[in-house]
Amino acid sequence: MTLISGTIFYSWAESLSLFDALYLSFITLTTIGYGDMYPVTAIGKAFTMLYVTVGLGIISLFISKLASAEKARKISKRKDTH
């Protein structure tokens, strides 16, 4: 959903094709940021600051969930061997 909303926004605010907007959304959310595309409008820059913050939060939450699941798996495995 985040990737779609970014694509729609960049397509509208930056006058990009849907594919270019998707590309910009993807490289922004993944924090790759090649530098070949970037927002040039003030609203695009403001959106990008919020978008990156939300994207980092989502990635952090995902990594946290993976770490919790791995920890629970290891604890369960220890209990099974004792």
Side-chain angles (χ1 to χ4, degrees):
M1 189 64 180
T2 306
L3 191 60
I4 293 169
S5 63
T7 300
I8 291 167
F9 178 84
Y10 285 130
S11 179
W12 169 77
E14 300 294 324
S15 300
L16 297 174
S17 70
L18 284 177
F19 184 76
D20 283 344
L22 174 64
Y23 174 75
L24 178 56
S25 296
F26 184 81
I27 63 171
T28 300
L29 273 182
T30 58
T31 68
I32 293 171
Y34 292 122
D36 57 338
M37 293 185 78
Y38 49 87
V40 293
T41 64
I43 194 167
K45 291 174 184 178
F47 174 81
T48 300
M49 289 186 282
L50 178 64
Y51 193 58
V52 168
T53 302
V54 169
L56 288 174
I58 291 169
I59 290 169
S60 297
L61 181 63
F62 176 71
I63 291 170
S64 173
K65 293 289 185 184
L66 285 178
S68 293
E70 180 63 14
K71 184 177 179 180
R73 188 189 68 77
K74 284 184 178 184
I75 290 171
S76 176
K77 189 175 179 180
R78 273 192 229 135
K79 286 181 183 177
D80 291 342
T81 59
H82 286 23

